Amino acid sequence: MNGHSGFEAATIHCPECPVRRLALFQPLDPGEVSIAEAFRTEFRHLKPGNAIFRQGEDIKEVYTLHEGWAYLYQNLVDGGRQILRVILPGDFFGFQVDMGDGVRIYSAQALTAVALCVFPAANILKMVREHVELGIRLIWMTAHDEAVAYEQVVSLGRRTARERVAYLLLDLFHRLRLRQRNPEGIRTVDLPLTQELIADICGLTQIHVNRTLKSLRNDNLLELKGGKLYVPDVDLLACEAKHSHSVFTKRPML
Amino acid sequence: MNGHSGFEAATIHCPECPVRRLALFQPLDPGEVSIAEAFRTEFRHLKPGNAIFRQGEDIKEVYTLHEGWAYLYQNLVDGGRQILRVILPGDFFGFQVDMGDGVRIYSAQALTAVALCVFPAANILKMVREHVELGIRLIWMTAHDEAVAYEQVVSLGRRTARERVAYLLLDLFHRLRLRQRNPEGIRTVDLPLTQELIADICGLTQIHVNRTLKSLRNDNLLELKGGKLYVPDVDLLACEAKHSHSVFTKRPML
DNA sequence: CGCGCCGTTGAGCCCGTTCAAAAAGTGTGG
DNA sequence: CCACACTTTTTGAACGGGCTCAACGGCGCG
C-alpha cells in the first residue's frame, strides 16, 4: 500500500533521489550530494507498525524517510502515549543531543510500509566538521523542528479540540500537497491516520476525535474517510484552525 | 530586584563571565572565547515587562541572558497567550530558522530586570563558517531546545493540571539549583513567576493554577509564596510530575 | 488613603472523558 | 464466495476536570 514500489537499495542514488529537495542534503551542489551517499550505510524497508527505534536505546543511526509515513512518540506511565511529530517522505529525523553517549528520549515507528535511508550517528559530527554547509543545514532543520514543536505546544495548550484537529489536518494537507506535482489544484490527499493516531497527536481521546471530525464534516470543512482527506476550502479550514501566525507561510522547506 | 547589581558593559568579558559555562560558548577553549566577545555588539539592560523582540519583527539579533528571567511566548487571536520557554541566566535564545530574511514567530519579554548579551544575527552564519565547533555547539543547543519543547508537548497533551504544575516547578527548581554553588543542599529557590504566568506556561487558567498549588501545598509537595519556591522532597515531587524518562538526567547543559 | 495588581474562594457550567455496546470495514483461510 | 476474527468507526449516557463568572482580601506604591 501507499505506493511502495520495491526499490533495490543499490539503485537509489542521492543525486537523482526524488525526495532530495526536501531532505538534509538539499542545498548541496551536485558534487557534494555524493558525500551524503558516501555516508549512507543502508537503505532499509519496514512494515507498518514496526519500530524504527525505541525510547531508552542507544543512538546509533539517523534517518531520512524515503517513502511512507512514520511518527515519533513518547509512552507514558499510565499506558497512554503522545505523538510528537508526524514524518513524511523526505523528512530527516532521529537526530538528538548527546549523539555520542546518549539514549533515545522518544520512540519512532513506521505507520505504513516505509523505506529509510540510514546514516550512522557516529559519522554526523565528522560530516559536519568536514562540510560546514551541511552543519548549517543541520542547524536549520533542527531549528525548524523546534518551531514546529512550539506550534504544537500552542495547539495543545490553548486550542479547542476542533481547532487542534483542524490545525493538524490542515498542516498535513499542506505538507502532502507540497510533495505533489501540481500543488494548487489538489483538494484530496492520501491520509492513512486512524482516529486513534489523531487523538494521540492532538492530546484527545479517539472517541472525541470521532465526534470532532463529525462536527467538522457537518460544517463542510473537511471529509476524512477510507484513508482520503478532502478539503473543499483551505482558507475556511485555516480560519477554523486559528493559527495566529503561520509556519506554513515562509516555510523554509518540507 | 532579583539581585541586579549594575554592571558596566565595558567591564564584562566573556572569558571570566560567571554564566559562560552554561552558554553558547562554553565548550570553546580560552583562546576561542574571545571570538565570542568580538562578535558581541552590546550588553543591554531591560526593565521587567519590557519586550526583547516581538512576533512579526525582522530577526536582527540573538541573545544570551546574562542576568534575570525572561520568556518566549505567542499571542493568540482570542487574546490568550502560550508561553513556550522560560529563559534563565546563561540561556541562549532568539535563534530561529530564516535568520536572513525571516520574521519572529514568537515574542520574547523580560520577566524581571534583565541583562542581555546581544549578538547581531547576521554574523551567526559567518561565525559558524569560521569556527565549526561553534556550529556544532549551536546544533547541540537547538536540538536540546527541541527536546525540551517535546517534553512540554507531552505535558500539555497528556498530563493533568497537578502533573503539569509539578513538572514545571520541578524543572525550574532543577535548573535554578544548577546555577548555585552547592546544588545538593538547596531546598528553596527564588521564583518570580506569578500564577498567571504559570497558567500561561501550563495551558491552564490562573484560577485553576491557584487551586492546584493549594492542593500540592496540602500534600506537602511544595510551597510557593512571596517569590520563593520550597521543595521539601525532590523525589516526591518528581513522582507527582510523572516524567517517564527525564530530560534532567543526562542533561547536556543548563 | 486609594488604586492596581495578585492571590483566594465559591458556584455553576461545559468540553472532553469514561464506560459500554453495536456497526462497519478489512484481511485471512476454507 | 462466505465465515470468521480483528480492527476501526460510530453512537449513547453519564461523569468530572478545568473553565467562566463573580466577589473579596492582601499587599505595595504613589
Side-chain angles (χ1 to χ4, degrees):
Chain A
M1 31 229 73
N2 207 37
H4 177 261
S5 41
F7 291 100
E8 300 283 320
T11 66
I12 300 293
H13 295 290
C14 298
E16 61 260 25
C17 176
V19 301
R20 186 169 68 82
R21 67 183 175 88
L22 307 162
L24 178 61
F25 305 106
Q26 176 261 326
L28 303 179
D29 52 65
E32 286 185 303
V33 176
S34 55
I35 295 161
E37 194 162 357
F39 279 104
R40 195 184 71 192
T41 53
E42 200 184 335
F43 191 77
R44 184 182 303 163
H45 290 273
L46 292 175
K47 291 183 190 144
N50 281 10
I52 299 170
F53 56 78
R54 280 183 217 278
Q55 219 166 324
E57 281 179 6
D58 290 341
I59 303 171
K60 297 211 172 66
E61 305 166 334
V62 298
Y63 314 85
T64 296
L65 182 61
H66 184 272
E67 196 177 354
W69 287 54
Y71 56 92
L72 311 181
Y73 68 98
Q74 263 192 31
N75 280 112
L76 306 183
V77 285
D78 61 13
R81 71 173 181 178
Q82 176 65 46
I83 291 180
L84 304 170
R85 187 179 150 201
V86 175
I87 297 162
L88 300 182
D91 288 351
F92 176 73
F93 69 101
F95 185 84
Q96 197 182 291
V97 277
D98 269 338
M99 292 301 280
D101 56 346
V103 297
R104 295 287 179 197
I105 58 172
Y106 47 74
S107 307
Q109 188 163 343
L111 198 162
T112 65
V114 299
L116 293 172
C117 295
V118 183
F119 305 87
N123 290 355
I124 289 286
L125 285 191
K126 182 163 169 281
M127 230 159 113
V128 169
R129 286 202 180 86
E130 289 171 13
H131 309 279
V132 183
E133 290 309 312
L134 215 146
I136 289 174
R137 178 71 175 162
L138 189 52
I139 293 171
W140 207 31
M141 299 191 81
T142 310
H144 176 260
D145 291 341
E146 184 191 355
V148 172
Y150 282 150
E151 200 61 27
Q152 199 180 354
V153 165
V154 173
S155 255
L156 296 178
R158 291 294 170 202
R159 291 205 260 250
T160 65
R162 250 178 92 98
E163 290 162 355
R164 288 183 214 178
V165 173
Y167 175 79
L168 169 68
L169 295 179
L170 183 65
D171 178 41
L172 291 172
F173 187 72
H174 272 275
R175 291 169 66 191
L176 290 165
R177 266 210 317 192
L178 286 181
R179 274 149 234 264
Q180 306 278 339
R181 297 257 165 273
N182 176 17
E184 292 311 316
I186 292 172
R187 289 183 160 188
T188 304
V189 294
D190 285 328
L191 202 139
L193 291 178
T194 64
Q195 293 180 354
E196 192 181 0
L197 283 163
I198 295 175
D200 286 345
I201 299 167
C202 295
L204 302 165
T205 57
Q206 177 273 125
I207 293 166
H208 201 244
V209 167
N210 182 295
R211 294 193 229 271
T212 305
L213 286 172
K214 184 182 174 184
S215 143
L216 289 168
R217 190 188 327 125
N218 285 342
D219 296 351
N220 292 315
L221 290 169
L222 55 83
E223 192 101 24
L224 181 55
K225 194 144 212 165
K228 301 276 183 189
L229 170 66
Y230 167 65
V231 177
D233 185 336
V234 183
D235 295 333
L236 231 58
L237 187 57
C239 176
E240 190 66 33
K242 277 202 196 163
H243 48 293
S244 45
H245 77 283
S246 184
V247 171
F248 308 139
T249 63
K250 291 218 148 212
R251 174 172 283 229
M253 73 197 109
L254 303 190
Chain B
M1 28 232 78
N2 207 38
H4 177 262
S5 41
F7 292 100
E8 299 283 320
T11 66
I12 301 293
H13 295 291
C14 298
E16 61 260 24
C17 177
V19 301
R20 187 168 68 81
R21 67 184 175 86
L22 308 161
L24 178 61
F25 306 105
Q26 177 260 327
L28 303 178
D29 52 64
E32 286 184 302
V33 176
S34 54
I35 294 160
E37 193 161 358
F39 278 104
R40 195 185 72 192
T41 54
E42 201 183 334
F43 191 76
R44 186 181 301 164
H45 291 272
L46 292 175
K47 290 182 190 147
N50 281 10
I52 300 170
F53 55 78
R54 280 183 216 277
Q55 220 165 322
E57 282 178 5
D58 290 341
I59 303 170
K60 297 210 171 67
E61 304 165 335
V62 298
Y63 313 87
T64 296
L65 182 61
H66 185 272
E67 195 178 355
W69 287 52
Y71 56 92
L72 310 181
Y73 67 99
Q74 262 192 31
N75 280 114
L76 305 183
V77 286
D78 59 14
R81 72 173 180 178
Q82 176 64 47
I83 292 180
L84 304 170
R85 186 178 151 204
V86 176
I87 297 162
L88 300 183
D91 288 351
F92 176 73
F93 69 102
F95 185 83
Q96 197 181 292
V97 276
D98 270 336
M99 291 301 280
D101 55 346
V103 297
R104 294 289 178 197
I105 57 172
Y106 48 75
S107 307
Q109 188 163 343
L111 198 162
T112 65
V114 300
L116 294 171
C117 296
V118 183
F119 305 87
N123 289 356
I124 290 286
L125 285 191
K126 182 163 171 280
M127 228 159 114
V128 169
R129 286 201 179 88
E130 288 171 13
H131 309 279
V132 185
E133 291 309 312
L134 215 146
I136 289 174
R137 178 71 175 161
L138 189 52
I139 292 172
W140 207 32
M141 299 191 81
T142 311
H144 176 260
D145 291 341
E146 185 191 354
V148 171
Y150 281 150
E151 200 61 27
Q152 200 180 354
V153 165
V154 172
S155 254
L156 296 177
R158 291 293 170 203
R159 293 204 258 249
T160 64
R162 249 178 93 98
E163 290 163 355
R164 288 184 214 178
V165 173
Y167 174 80
L168 169 68
L169 295 179
L170 183 64
D171 178 40
L172 291 172
F173 187 72
H174 273 275
R175 291 169 65 192
L176 290 165
R177 265 208 321 191
L178 286 181
R179 274 150 234 264
Q180 307 278 339
R181 297 257 166 273
N182 177 16
E184 292 311 315
I186 293 173
R187 289 181 160 190
T188 303
V189 294
D190 285 328
L191 202 139
L193 291 178
T194 64
Q195 293 181 352
E196 192 182 0
L197 283 163
I198 295 174
D200 287 345
I201 298 167
C202 295
L204 301 165
T205 57
Q206 176 270 325
I207 293 167
H208 201 245
V209 167
N210 182 297
R211 294 194 229 270
T212 304
L213 286 172
K214 183 181 174 185
S215 143
L216 289 167
R217 191 189 326 125
N218 285 342
D219 296 350
N220 292 315
L221 290 169
L222 54 84
E223 192 100 25
L224 180 56
K225 195 143 210 166
K228 301 276 183 189
L229 171 65
Y230 167 66
V231 177
D233 186 336
V234 183
D235 295 334
L236 231 58
L237 188 57
C239 175
E240 190 65 33
K242 276 201 196 162
H243 48 292
S244 44
H245 78 283
S246 185
V247 171
F248 308 139
T249 62
K250 292 219 148 210
R251 174 172 282 229
M253 74 196 107
L254 303 190

